Amino acid sequence: MQQTEIDLLELLKKDHEQVMSRFKRIQKSEKKEVRLFAQLEKDVRIHMEGEERFFYTLLEQHQQARQRVLESYEEHFLAKLIFSTFNSQALDEERWIAKIKVLMEFMEHHMKEEESQLFPLAPNLLKKEELKRISEQYLELRNDQQKTEK
């Protein structure tokens, strides 16, 4: 199966790029883009779930990564909280656009920290087989979630 050959860290970085691309498309439109936002939220939710279930759980067992992983869990919690406010509040267009910008900046900061502080630890702390298994589990989760939400 070709998918198992995919490097986990490259896969996660690609997802980060896709998330930022969606944010930029939404922001460029300068209006409430509910459909694009719904797709963005779905992608981010699936990505965070995969990181938490497969990647973070293995990394947090290593003292060198534990504190950074715990911070990442908290950043995911805050991201979910911010996303939920879009659904629970009636926002006028200006406020919605401002909130998108703040969320985008927060997510960009989180992803840069992951890529610069957490990702470099993985090859040193996790075995190649573990990274391969995580890639497979992550892809399976992502594919399953995307199928069930269509």
Side-chain angles (χ1 to χ4, degrees):
M1 177 187 256
Q2 197 68 4
Q3 286 183 333
T4 60
E5 305 283 323
I6 293 176
D7 176 77
L8 174 67
L9 301 177
E10 286 304 313
L11 179 63
L12 296 175
K13 284 179 187 178
K14 246 186 165 143
D15 281 359
H16 288 174
E17 290 168 10
Q18 182 181 9
V19 165
M20 288 313 298
S21 175
R22 285 194 198 280
F23 267 120
K24 288 173 183 169
R25 279 182 53 208
I26 292 169
Q27 200 172 24
K28 274 184 186 174
S29 73
E30 296 182 358
K31 62 180 182 168
K32 239 177 168 174
E33 289 285 353
V34 178
R35 185 187 55 77
L36 281 174
F37 179 78
Q39 184 62 49
L40 169 72
E41 182 179 15
K42 181 180 99 172
D43 292 346
V44 170
R45 188 175 39 76
I46 292 168
H47 175 82
M48 289 190 300
E49 182 181 345
E51 281 184 331
E52 290 173 6
R53 284 178 56 188
F54 309 120
F55 186 50
Y56 291 177
T57 54
L58 281 179
L59 267 183
E60 75 179 309
Q61 296 173 25
H62 299 274
Q63 197 56 41
Q64 302 95 312
R66 186 165 174 72
Q67 188 59 42
R68 184 62 209 128
V69 170
L70 294 175
E71 290 173 19
S72 290
Y73 278 124
E74 293 306 315
E75 289 171 349
H76 280 193
F77 172 77
L78 290 174
K80 292 171 193 173
L81 190 61
I82 296 168
F83 271 110
S84 73
T85 65
F86 282 89
N87 300 323
S88 63
Q89 294 178 351
L91 298 172
D92 63 44
E93 193 141 326
E94 280 184 309
R95 182 119 187 255
W96 194 89
I97 293 166
K99 192 173 257 218
I100 283 287
K101 185 175 193 285
V102 170
L103 178 58
M104 181 176 123
E105 290 169 355
F106 175 78
M107 293 299 298
E108 184 174 33
H109 173 81
H110 167 72
M111 292 183 291
K112 282 182 179 177
E113 275 190 349
E114 267 187 342
E115 291 178 15
S116 66
Q117 297 175 16
L118 200 56
F119 289 10
L121 295 174
N124 300 322
L125 299 176
L126 303 176
K127 296 176 183 146
K128 285 184 181 182
E129 300 80 38
E130 290 175 310
L131 289 168
K132 182 179 174 182
R133 187 179 76 244
I134 295 169
S135 294
E136 293 168 355
Q137 291 170 320
Y138 181 83
L139 284 170
E140 186 176 329
L141 170 77
R142 193 169 72 178
N143 291 337
D144 289 348
Q145 292 284 338
Q146 288 173 341
K147 284 179 192 170
T148 60
E149 295 187 9
K150 284 188 177 179

